[in-house]
């Protein structure tokens, strides 16, 4: 590992010469490429911030100064130079290093939330705290051009701009992309700053001339830096940040570590909030990533280091949704697709290719997406907003007060619902079937397999007077699980005679419910397994069926608090049905990263664990807890 072994703390970086720092940068790239090739992870974003991160840790004094990463997926270099290089081979492994900042790993890490556009708000708070406490500490926040399209970032900038004494340096890591090129007026404004041809040529010439002058070159370059700012005013329109009252330094070549250090040092000296605009390239230094058209290896699966060829992946739920959307689009000219900067990851790229004028990428702006969808519905269209389940949390009020209050026919398709695993606590989609329970009129479906996905999507887009939600998990779908009967709107999957236990298997947990039934049947226990399909509103036929059974078991890939099981129990209570209910779901905790199957096993969402619990539960049932008309 060479030089990296010598970096026990970021302060060690200051003892390295320029040549050694260049060598260290290539060592870091090499290690990240080899590690992500097997462990998976965010290679493109991290290759793009090697020089930037080294410069930050040479200028700022972490952990006393606080370095905050927006989204945090680009914090591998930060981890490598803050004493964790030795554990890097455990990246994203169960019990190993998180792919995001982790406070339990290091006091150099602060923000663990992987939801974008939050860093500037944390930084605003931190800087105010240091000022009030009279602490001479700086805050440096790294935010990507993509994360800058999120509304929270501008709420923060609005506040930061008036904090004239805050020791805050904002580094805009501008690589022009989220997954795909960043969209919108902000992106255009950033582009105009970074690509003004006269400014670039002039700057390059000056830099080359000065650096060629031994001894004084760098100093003069630094002095000219301020002039350059003036220069830039002359050759590049300002606006954007400086109209807000924010000092702006840049754009600076984010792969020129020395230039970045100069910019950061001068920004640090300003003594007030400053924006340093760094131009970087995602995947920089690894050809297969730089050439990767789709997303420059934003988060590649396992791949061959030599060729960059990714190991073939089987079809996942998203691929089937993608096909279904194209079919819907052909059948329904009123259907439009919306994504929040994740066109391919949510499976709307095929729909976009077929119906470009009916597809909208709104940037990382889920709140805007939801309310814009309400507007589209009010305008006579039927929008489908495809989003990862966890990211819809951010738009809860928009779903409630902009969509549901106005009975807007918007369909939300929640990919990555339930346990996702690799990306840690803030990525698990374990909240939607709890949060959305309280939304009046909203209908929520959880397909168990691809046949049901197509059925439920068709049903959802037929609803034009209320928001509908269809949610499915990360990864490959199961084989179709056949229906043997209907029970109201629900599908009966197993019925083996006596009515001891009614098992409700929700969405991806229907497969688990069938496994539970197999184990209970082998013990001579009577089981009915039903897949509710629509979990909100609760199906009255299932309430009725519960009254005929000794015990109800609900299984959901959602937090147990306020989820499907809770709402079913509430419905039984309201109907004065006293059958006891045993709720199985994700414990209401922040789960550490690991693979989805390992987490499901660890939290007991397996046929074996639930069958054993059910047998125990049945054995403890006492007459008074039985429905009135059953005697044992
Ligand atoms: C609220 C939210 N929506 C979507 C995502 C998914 N996501 C992760 S990284 C990313 C792109 C971020 O782009 P940028 O901020 O420019 O960082 P870069 O990857 O270019 O370094 C997105 C959309 C997220 N993390 N948070
Ligand atoms: C950082 C981020 O939010 C996404 O890039 C996330 O890693 C998505 O991962 P998957 O698309 O692999 O579920
Ligand atoms: Mg970017």
């Amino acid at each position: 590992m060479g030089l990296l072994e010598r970096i026990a703390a970021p302060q060690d970086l200051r003892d390295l010469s320029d040549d050694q720092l260049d060598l260290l940068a290539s060592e870091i790239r090499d290690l990240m490429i080899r590690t992500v090739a097997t462990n998976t992870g965010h290679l493109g974003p991290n290759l793009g911030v090697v020089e930037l991160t080294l410069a930050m840790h040479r200028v700022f004094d972490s952990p006393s100064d606080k370095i905050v990463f927006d989204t945090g997926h680009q914090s591998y270099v930060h981890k490598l130079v803050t004493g964790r290089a030795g554990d890097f081979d455990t990246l994203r492994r169960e019990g190993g290093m998180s792919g995001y900042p982790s406070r339990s790993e290091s006091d150099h890490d602060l923000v663990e939330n992987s939801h974008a556009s939050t860093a500037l708000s944390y930084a605003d708070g931190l800087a105010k705290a240091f000022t009030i406490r009279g602490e001479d500490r700086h805050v440096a926040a790294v935010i990507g051009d993509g994360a800058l399209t999120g509304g929270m970032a501008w709420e923060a900038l609005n506040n930061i701009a008036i904090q004239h004494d805050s020791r805050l340096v904002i580094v805009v890591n501008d690589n022009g992309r989220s997954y795909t090129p960043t969209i919108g007026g902000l992106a255009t404004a950033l582009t105009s700053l970074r690509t003004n041809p006269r400014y670039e040529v002039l700057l390059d010439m000056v830099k080359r001339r000065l650096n060629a002058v031994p001894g004084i070159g760098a100093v003069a370059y630094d002095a000219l830096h301020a002039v350059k700012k003036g220069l830039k005013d002359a050759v590049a329109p300002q606006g954007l940040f400086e109209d807000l009252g924010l000092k702006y330094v840049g754009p600076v070549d984010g792969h020129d570590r020395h230039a970045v250090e100069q910019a950061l040092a001068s920004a640090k000296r300003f003594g007030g909030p400053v924006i340093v605009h760094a131009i970087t390239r995602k995947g920089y230094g690894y050809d297969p990533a730089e050439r990767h058209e789709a997303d420059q290896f934003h988060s590649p699966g396992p791949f061959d280091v030599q060729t960059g060829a990714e190991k073939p992946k089987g079809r996942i739920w998203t691929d089937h949704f993608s096909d279904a959307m194209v079919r819907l689009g052909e059948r329904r000219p009123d259907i439009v697709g919306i994504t929040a900067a994740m066109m391919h990851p949510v499976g709307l790229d095929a729909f976009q290719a077929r119906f470009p004028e009916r597809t909208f990428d709104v940037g990382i702006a889920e709140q805007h997406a939801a309310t814009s969808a309400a507007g589209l519905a009010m305008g006579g269209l039927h929008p489908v907003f495809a989003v990862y389940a966890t990211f819809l949390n951010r738009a809860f009020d928009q779903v409630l007060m902009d969509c549901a209050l106005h009975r807007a026919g918007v369909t939300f398709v929640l990919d990555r619902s339930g346990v996702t695993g690799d990306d840690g606590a803030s990525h698990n989609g374990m909240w939607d079937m709890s949060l959305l329970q309280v939304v009046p009129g909203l209908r929520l479906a959880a397909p168990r397999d691809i046949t049901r996905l197509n059925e439920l999507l068709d049903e959802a887009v037929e609803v034009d007077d209320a928001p509908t939600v269809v949610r499915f998990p990360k990864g490959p779908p199961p084989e179709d699980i056949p229906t043997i009967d209907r029970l109201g709107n629900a599908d009966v999957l197993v019925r083996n005679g006596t009515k001891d236990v009614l098992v409700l298997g929700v969405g991806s947990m229907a497969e688990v419910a069938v496994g539970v039934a197999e184990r209970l049947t082998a013990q001579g226990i009577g089981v009915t397994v039903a897949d509710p399909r629509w979990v909100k509103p609760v199906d009255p036929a299932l309430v009725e069926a519960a009254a005929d059974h000794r015990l109800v078991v609900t299984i959901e890939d959602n937090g147990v608090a306020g989820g499907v099981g809770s709402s079913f129990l509430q419905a039984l209570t309201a109907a004065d049905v006293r059958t006891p209910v045993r709720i199985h779901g994700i414990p209401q905790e922040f789960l550490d990263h690991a693979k989805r199957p390992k987490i499901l096993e660890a939290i007991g969402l397996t046929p074996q664990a639930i069958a054993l619990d059910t047998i125990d539960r049945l054995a403890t049932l006492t007459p008074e807890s039985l429905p009135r008309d059953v005697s044992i």
Side-chain angles (χ1 to χ4, degrees):
M1 207 184 280
L3 277 170
L4 205 42
E5 281 163 333
R6 288 171 43 184
I7 310 299
Q11 288 70 18
D12 296 337
L13 294 170
R14 297 173 192 164
D15 304 332
L16 299 184
S17 67
D18 283 351
D19 290 346
Q20 285 174 319
L21 286 160
D22 292 345
L23 180 60
L24 176 65
S26 59
E27 273 183 31
I28 286 172
R29 283 196 165 85
D30 179 52
L31 178 59
M32 292 197 296
I33 292 164
R34 283 186 289 106
T35 305
V36 174
T38 51
N39 294 32
T40 74
H42 292 91
L43 185 59
N46 283 285
L47 288 173
V49 296
V50 175
E51 290 76 18
L52 184 63
T53 308
L54 292 178
M56 292 188 73
H57 275 293
R58 279 167 51 89
V59 171
F60 294 100
D61 194 17
S62 176
S64 171
D65 290 342
K66 285 300 170 195
I67 297 179
V68 178
F69 292 92
D70 196 289
T71 313
H73 62 307
Q74 76 293 56
S75 59
Y76 296 0
V77 183
H78 162 80
K79 291 189 170 216
L80 287 170
V81 299
T82 51
R84 286 169 275 178
D87 299 329
F88 197 66
D89 62 331
T90 69
L91 179 70
R92 287 163 60 101
R93 289 267 158 84
E94 187 182 0
M97 185 183 285
S98 164
Y100 301 83
S102 164
R103 300 148 76 103
S104 62
E105 285 177 21
S106 167
D107 58 6
H108 291 279
D109 291 8
L110 192 63
V111 174
E112 303 184 353
N113 179 14
S114 65
H115 292 198
S117 316
T118 62
L120 303 190
S121 298
Y122 285 108
D124 173 53
L126 279 162
K128 284 171 181 168
F130 294 157
T131 302
I132 290 170
R133 291 165 56 95
E135 296 176 349
D136 180 20
R137 301 167 71 182
H138 281 83
V139 181
V142 180
I143 184 166
D145 55 295
L148 259 186
T149 59
M152 256 189 92
W154 293 88
E155 293 169 22
L157 284 172
N158 182 47
N159 282 276
I160 290 166
I162 56 171
Q163 295 302 323
H164 303 302
D165 56 352
S166 85
R167 325 290 294 279
L168 171 53
V169 176
I170 297 166
V171 180
V172 174
N173 172 32
D174 180 5
N175 52 30
R177 300 179 78 106
S178 279
Y179 282 75
T180 51
T182 304
I183 64 96
L186 294 176
T188 311
L190 276 180
T191 304
S192 74
L193 281 179
R194 73 168 173 261
T195 54
N196 182 300
R198 285 182 294 158
Y199 170 62
E200 289 300 308
V201 167
L202 210 50
L203 180 76
D204 239 17
M205 187 185 72
V206 164
K207 190 163 93 173
R208 260 202 309 281
R209 289 277 163 78
L210 277 173
N211 285 340
V213 177
I216 63 154
V219 174
Y221 176 71
D222 185 17
L224 192 76
H225 185 80
V227 173
K228 181 175 62 102
K229 210 180 106 28
L231 201 62
K232 184 167 66 285
D233 282 335
V235 297
Q238 276 318 296
L240 200 55
F241 298 116
E242 289 189 315
D243 285 356
L244 277 176
L246 284 160
K247 295 186 187 69
Y248 169 92
V249 176
V252 63
D253 173 356
H255 299 297
D256 177 340
R257 181 192 46 76
H258 188 71
V260 176
E261 284 187 32
Q262 298 289 332
L264 292 175
S266 54
K268 196 177 165 185
R269 282 196 296 273
F270 269 134
V274 188
I275 298 233
V276 174
H277 182 190
I279 313 300
T280 62
R281 290 215 308 273
K282 222 167 194 176
Y284 186 81
Y286 181 53
D287 235 16
E290 289 199 60
R291 279 187 286 106
H292 187 263
E293 190 35 48
D295 62 17
Q296 295 184 314
F297 264 25
H298 176 83
S299 54
F303 63 88
D304 177 281
V305 171
Q306 300 313 320
T307 64
E310 289 189 77
K311 304 273 182 331
K313 294 175 193 163
R315 276 168 68 84
I316 60 176
W317 280 89
T318 316
D319 300 315
H320 295 277
F321 164 65
S322 178
D323 296 346
M325 265 304 278
V326 171
R327 276 197 302 277
L328 283 173
E330 280 161 353
R331 184 160 59 80
R332 289 272 301 268
D334 62 325
I335 283 187
V336 294
I338 304 174
T339 178
M342 298 180 79
M343 194 70 77
H344 176 74
V346 298
L348 280 179
D349 43 339
F351 184 88
Q352 180 189 35
R354 184 79 180 66
F355 309 106
E357 74 293 343
R358 287 160 53 190
T359 315
F360 302 104
D361 174 353
V362 298
I364 309 181
E366 287 82 1
Q367 294 172 326
H368 167 71
T371 305
S372 170
L376 283 157
M378 290 169 180
L381 297 178
H382 192 109
V384 175
F385 174 26
V387 59
Y388 284 10
T390 188
F391 301 140
L392 186 73
N393 295 355
R394 174 161 292 175
F396 172 73
D397 189 60
Q398 287 74 18
V399 173
L400 181 67
M401 295 304 179
D402 296 322
C403 296
L405 177 65
H406 301 98
R407 304 171 63 83
V410 176
T411 295
F412 295 87
V413 174
L414 307 187
D415 195 337
R416 277 31 175 211
S417 69
V419 170
T420 52
D422 291 330
D423 290 279
S426 55
H427 254 77
N428 291 314
M430 57 182 276
W431 324 98
D432 57 288
M433 291 203 295
S434 304
L435 291 172
L436 299 175
Q437 292 293 346
V438 305
V439 180
L442 177 141
R443 297 170 55 78
L444 200 162
R448 65 175 184 273
D449 54 28
I450 298 310
T451 297
R452 267 37 73 172
L453 171 66
N454 287 305
E455 274 176 17
L456 290 164
L457 269 176
D458 286 346
E459 292 171 32
V461 299
E462 290 307 316
V463 178
D464 283 318
D465 62 356
T468 51
V469 180
V470 178
R471 55 107 71 179
F472 50 79
K474 177 170 187 171
E479 292 300 319
D480 270 7
I481 304 170
T483 303
I484 60 168
D485 196 356
R486 293 302 295 263
L487 194 54
N489 236 335
D491 285 345
V492 177
L493 311 181
V494 174
R495 180 183 280 135
N496 73 352
T498 54
K499 296 182 176 178
D500 293 316
V501 188
L502 171 62
V503 183
L504 300 185
V506 176
S508 62
M509 291 294 118
E511 189 179 17
V512 171
V514 171
V516 171
E518 285 161 4
R519 288 162 175 77
L520 296 182
T521 304
Q523 300 294 320
I525 295 168
V527 190
T528 308
V529 176
D531 164 11
R533 298 171 74 256
W534 291 95
V535 294
K536 181 181 187 298
V538 173
D539 191 329
L542 290 177
V543 173
E544 235 174 277
D548 298 341
H549 287 75
R550 298 177 57 210
L551 174 68
V552 175
V553 170
T554 65
I555 313 172
E556 61 195 291
D557 190 3
N558 185 82
V560 286
V564 173
S566 301
S567 67
F568 193 72
L569 177 57
Q570 224 170 326
L572 294 191
T573 310
D576 196 19
V577 172
R578 295 187 205 158
T579 310
V581 180
R582 184 77 171 150
I583 298 170
H584 294 275
I586 304 171
Q588 215 61 38
E589 297 157 14
F590 296 116
L591 302 175
D592 286 340
H593 68 276
K595 289 287 175 217
R596 172 178 160 88
K598 290 300 288 281
I599 293 178
L600 292 175
E601 187 185 348
I603 61 177
L605 287 183
T606 63
Q608 184 67 4
I610 296 173
L612 288 174
D613 178 82
T614 303
I615 291 166
D616 287 350
R617 187 60 46 181
L618 276 174
T620 60
L621 278 185
T622 52
E624 60 270 13
S625 70
L626 290 179
R628 289 181 306 289
D629 58 352
V630 172
S631 58
I632 45 175

